[in-house]
Structure formats: C-alpha cells, structure tokens
Amino acid sequence: MKNLYMQEYKLYDGEEHITLNIIGVDTKRSEINLAVTNRGKISFPTYDLYEDKKGLYFEYGPDFTKIYIDDFEIV
C-alpha cells in the first residue's frame, strides 16, 4: 500500500470545500484517523474502513458519501 500520510482530499458539500487529511490508518482495527477542516474549524474524527471492489473507503457526512483512500493525493 502506498504511503498514506500527508495525503489530502477535497470534498465540495454544495457550499464549501472540506479538506480531509489522513493522520493514520489501522487496517487491523479497520479504522482511519483524519484531520478535517470544515468552515474554519478542525476536528480529528475516526471512521470505520470498509472495502469493496474499488478498494478501501470510509463513509463521510450525513449522506454517507463513500470516500476512497486511493482518491487522496500527496500535498
């Protein structure tokens, strides 16, 4: 698996861009830790990891948007 640290993903929620940065991935516990910057506030949530034919992903937001780890880019 590629180096996951210092990677970023930008999500547009219809009004603002939300920035997600990977802090850590624990495949044994199937969890991902992120730094999320949303409207000037930063949080550090942990999400469950899932896997399908496209790869590892987690579900974000009220719509449970699938965000794939492979879609993150090095910044």
Side-chain angles (χ1 to χ4, degrees):
M1 183 179 282
K2 65 182 179 179
N3 183 4
L4 298 174
Y5 306 100
M6 299 304 293
Q7 294 206 20
E8 182 173 283
Y9 182 85
K10 295 230 185 233
L11 174 70
Y12 186 69
D13 70 358
E15 295 178 8
E16 298 284 334
H17 282 93
I18 300 168
T19 304
L20 301 102
N21 295 94
I22 295 175
I23 295 174
V25 175
D26 186 340
T27 54
K28 290 181 182 178
R29 295 181 67 180
S30 295
E31 292 180 341
I32 185 169
N33 301 92
L34 301 171
V36 178
T37 306
N38 186 353
R39 292 167 175 78
K41 295 182 181 179
I42 190 166
S43 61
F44 301 94
T46 299
Y47 293 98
D48 292 330
L49 279 175
Y50 304 100
E51 187 171 13
D52 65 12
K53 62 184 176 183
K54 292 183 181 180
L56 288 173
Y57 71 93
F58 61 95
E59 297 175 333
Y60 180 81
D63 295 333
F64 300 103
T65 302
K66 284 185 180 181
I67 299 178
Y68 288 89
I69 290 177
D70 286 341
D71 292 340
F72 279 74
E73 298 178 352
I74 296 175
V75 292

